Amino acid sequence: MKTWQKLTIGGVVVVAVVGGTHAAGLWGGSNSSSDKTLHFSLPTPLNGLDSATITDEYSMDVVGNAGEGLLRADKNGKPQLALAKSIKSSTDGKTWTITLRNGLKWSDGSELTAKDVVYAWQRANDQKTASEYAYLYSGIKNADAIQAGKADKKTLGITASGNTLTVSLEKPMPQFKSLLTFPTFFPQKQSFVEKYGKKYGTTASKTLYNGPYVFKGWNGTNNKFKLVKNKYYWDAKAVKTPEIDLQVIQKPEVAVQMYKTGKLDSALVNTPQLSEANKNNKGYRITPQATTVFLAYNQSGNVKALNNTKIRQALNLVTNRSELNSQVLSGTSTPATSFTPKGLSSVNGTDFATYAKQDYKYNKAKAQKLFQEGLKELGEQSITLEIEADTDRVANAKDVVNYLQGQWSKNLPGLKVTEKFVPFKQRLQDGSNANFQIMLTQWGADYAEPTTFLDLASTGNANNYNHNSNADYDALWNKAKGVDATNDTKRAADEKGLEKIINQQAILNPLYYQAQPELVNPDVTGFYHHAVGVPLDFKLAARK
């Protein structure tokens, strides 16, 4: 996930919100058990409904439930057949044949065809559309060339013949099925999109739907709207809830109070204070997210000290991740043991993060020894390093940086740590331009495969804020995405090797896997929180 975006793709781990003991008197009034309507809130206003261009998490929540792709993530986060009734890959993994279900319809009752998928994919790759997620198509024939303006969008590697789609890849893509669950790959009806032009997706009525629900009541600026069961949805019989009311509530304290008085079925408690105050509530739960918060070390040459491996190793060793989690994050996250977070994918039934676990234990004595050796190699007796962060997007960033500053300065004699807080957009620019020393940032999965993280340490990657170049790493990376791409066992071994290089060379410093504390009405069943992909899945949600 690009660091300015909030959401991710595909996925394996989810939290399944299942029923619990009814809390007497808590969900009364309009949320009584006789009322099937569900009530949820969003912490920010909607930005749009065009599946080709939306990037924020909460617009994705709406589009992911009022729309659907060829595949849909199940309760375990694994891609399953949705609009498609079958999907097959060639032995070399470069050609996919996908057949759609018969009788698919849009929410206006018109026919949904394979041509709607071709149109949507071509539109997403068209430079004129300016889709920020178009890069996810990279690997599909001619996608990169089309996005660069060097090829016509009609040359994209997807064709339709009747109800069947043929997708041609330039290279095997292990993440391909995960991508098909994501809104940027949803179908769109050409005549409807062209009817509204630039206004398409700007209001509920200027959008067409093909998912479990139809979205109603949004005029583009208002903050109350609803999802209503779509009678034309191919699996409508599985949808049990006739209506889901949504409203924007930007202050988490207000949402929590509304939850406690039965006016909402869920509320985020995403500050340490709110989490601590509500952790004993029967509806409290922590939802894992496929996101790693980490420190990028600028190895472009602009910061002499950070091009010294021993200095970076010392910083990693003197980082007490368990203490950071317990003292700063109220225990709501998981201390990192790899760059790839838990819950993203598995290797023969074992979580990849467990399979590829590295030694990120706190070791003060070893850190001090390496730090002094590094200083000697630099010809210095002391150094000053600056940690840059923003407080716009990374939750609790200031507290995390304050903790690191105190811990590092105290435990590494000869090190002075300063802090720099900048607006989010400036931090992104500083990262791209190597105009920083150490940066607190985060990354969320683009798809359910470790390469979405491990790519960030490869030479020349646009999102490699470490600005490192490691020949051994690049060779193994090219092997993982090349000759071993279609062999899960060999690819996983390559990826484990990449995690080992990241750890041993201290290319970056993974701090913790992010999680989201929340309150959820125990009387709501079948409501799934995906760690990656469309964040909230209401298809099977229902009140007891």
Side-chain angles (χ1 to χ4, degrees):
M1 177 186 77
K2 291 196 174 185
T3 50
W4 63 89
Q5 295 161 337
K6 295 182 179 178
L7 49 129
T8 48
I9 299 167
V12 171
V13 168
V14 296
V15 169
V17 179
V18 295
T21 304
H22 182 73
L26 182 57
W27 287 280
S30 63
N31 284 18
S32 66
S33 59
S34 61
D35 181 4
K36 293 184 178 181
T37 301
L38 300 179
H39 303 264
F40 288 84
S41 67
L42 304 177
T44 64
L46 289 180
N47 288 319
L49 298 172
D50 184 349
S51 58
T53 60
I54 56 171
T55 60
D56 71 285
E57 176 179 354
Y58 307 107
S59 296
M60 286 281 179
D61 284 334
V62 173
V63 172
N65 284 281
E68 187 168 80
L70 297 168
L71 303 181
R72 186 182 188 91
D74 65 14
K75 66 179 182 180
N76 297 312
K78 296 182 179 180
Q80 303 293 346
L81 296 173
L83 298 182
K85 69 177 182 181
S86 69
I87 178 169
K88 298 178 181 179
S89 171
S90 60
T91 54
D92 64 0
K94 295 173 67 174
T95 302
W96 291 80
T97 304
I98 306 167
T99 303
L100 272 61
R101 297 178 186 276
N102 296 321
L104 294 174
K105 292 184 178 181
W106 289 101
S107 54
D108 62 356
S110 61
E111 185 181 12
L112 190 160
T113 71
K115 290 182 179 179
D116 296 329
V117 180
V118 174
Y119 168 73
W121 288 24
Q122 291 177 351
R123 180 171 177 266
N125 281 271
D126 191 339
Q127 283 187 323
K128 295 179 182 178
T129 305
S131 171
E132 290 187 37
Y133 271 125
Y135 69 91
L136 294 174
Y137 282 87
S138 181
I140 296 176
K141 185 178 178 181
N142 287 336
D144 293 337
I146 295 167
Q147 292 172 36
K150 297 178 180 179
D152 189 284
K153 64 183 179 182
K154 293 184 179 180
T155 65
L156 184 68
I158 181 172
T159 59
S161 177
N163 237 16
T164 299
L165 293 162
T166 301
V167 181
S168 301
L169 309 183
E170 295 173 341
K171 59 185 178 182
M173 297 171 63
Q175 73 273 26
F176 184 70
K177 284 188 175 182
S178 289
L179 294 175
L180 298 184
T181 71
F182 192 63
T184 310
F185 291 78
F186 284 10
Q188 292 184 336
K189 185 175 180 179
Q190 183 173 359
S191 60
F192 191 93
V193 174
E194 292 179 347
K195 174 183 177 180
Y196 289 103
K198 292 183 178 180
K199 292 185 178 180
Y200 173 72
T202 58
T203 70
S205 62
K206 293 182 177 65
T207 313
L208 202 57
Y209 310 100
N210 72 306
Y213 299 93
V214 171
F215 191 50
K216 294 187 175 182
W218 185 56
N219 63 17
T221 59
N222 61 313
N223 290 329
K224 286 190 176 181
F225 24 76
K226 59 188 176 181
L227 290 163
V228 178
K229 183 176 178 178
N230 179 9
K231 66 180 181 180
Y232 291 113
Y233 179 52
W234 71 270
D235 197 24
K237 64 180 182 300
V239 181
K240 306 301 181 185
T241 298
E243 181 178 319
I244 299 173
D245 289 346
L246 301 168
Q247 60 180 304
V248 175
I249 302 174
Q250 294 182 281
K251 293 184 177 180
E253 297 84 359
V254 174
V256 169
Q257 186 58 33
M258 291 179 68
Y259 170 85
K260 290 183 176 180
T261 56
K263 296 178 181 179
L264 288 176
D265 286 302
S266 179
L268 296 177
V269 285
N270 53 355
T271 68
Q273 295 79 13
L274 278 175
S275 178
E276 185 68 25
N278 291 279
K279 67 181 182 181
N280 294 321
N281 189 301
K282 194 170 286 187
Y284 178 84
R285 63 197 72 232
I286 297 176
T287 303
Q289 297 175 311
T291 300
T292 300
V293 177
F294 67 100
L295 295 172
Y297 295 136
N298 186 348
Q299 296 153 63
S300 66
N302 294 346
V303 188
K304 183 180 177 182
L306 293 176
N307 274 84
N308 185 283
T309 302
K310 291 180 179 178
I311 295 294
R312 299 195 308 272
Q313 290 171 334
L315 295 176
N316 279 16
L317 286 165
V318 83
T319 302
N320 193 328
R321 295 165 187 78
S322 296
E323 188 175 85
L324 171 64
N325 182 51
S326 62
Q327 293 189 6
V328 180
L329 304 172
S330 300
T332 57
S333 295
T334 302
T337 56
S338 58
F339 184 37
T340 304
K342 289 184 176 180
L344 184 67
S345 65
S346 61
V347 181
N348 297 323
T350 300
D351 189 288
F352 177 81
T354 300
Y355 165 78
K357 180 180 179 180
Q358 301 298 314
D359 185 5
Y360 281 103
K361 293 179 182 178
Y362 173 70
N363 190 326
K364 176 180 174 181
K366 187 174 180 180
Q368 290 179 339
K369 180 176 181 295
L370 284 168
F371 189 72
Q372 290 304 314
E373 291 175 357
L375 286 178
K376 186 175 181 180
E377 291 176 2
L378 293 169
E380 304 285 353
Q381 293 185 339
S382 64
I383 57 174
T384 298
L385 292 173
E386 179 180 80
I387 304 176
E388 179 174 325
D390 70 81
T391 54
D392 299 89
R393 295 295 173 94
V394 180
N396 309 309
K398 189 171 182 60
D399 292 336
V400 171
V401 173
N402 287 343
Y403 171 81
L404 293 171
Q405 179 193 46
Q407 188 190 45
W408 286 4
S409 299
K410 175 184 177 181
N411 294 320
L412 290 178
L415 174 64
K416 179 181 178 181
V417 180
T418 60
E419 302 177 350
K420 181 180 180 181
F421 294 97
V422 299
F424 178 65
K425 289 184 179 180
Q426 182 180 333
R427 179 175 70 76
L428 292 177
Q429 185 176 6
D430 288 347
S432 297
N433 297 335
N435 185 32
F436 72 98
Q437 295 187 4
I438 299 173
M439 179 177 289
L440 179 69
T441 185
Q442 65 185 40
W443 189 264
D446 279 335
Y447 45 83
E449 217 283 321
T451 51
T452 186
F453 282 86
L454 300 173
D455 193 7
L456 300 189
S458 64
T459 301
N461 182 281
N463 295 298
N464 182 350
Y465 287 176
N466 307 292
H467 298 279
N468 65 286
S469 182
N470 183 298
D472 291 339
Y473 191 94
D474 291 342
L476 194 55
W477 164 249
N478 288 327
K479 186 181 178 187
K481 68 175 184 178
V483 296
D484 291 344
T486 58
N487 187 310
D488 293 346
T489 301
K490 290 183 178 180
R491 189 179 71 254
D494 295 339
E495 292 163 347
K496 183 176 181 178
L498 294 171
E499 290 279 6
K500 185 177 181 180
I501 294 174
I502 289 175
N503 173 261
Q504 292 183 342
Q505 296 295 313
I507 292 175
L508 52 83
N509 187 344
L511 298 176
Y512 56 90
Y513 310 140
Q514 192 164 276
Q516 180 173 281
E518 62 183 345
L519 295 168
V520 178
N521 182 347
D523 279 353
V524 176
T525 65
F527 158 51
Y528 302 118
H529 230 316
H530 296 284
V532 289
V534 175
L536 303 182
D537 191 339
F538 294 120
K539 176 179 175 177
L540 302 178
R543 189 182 304 285
K544 277 187 174 181

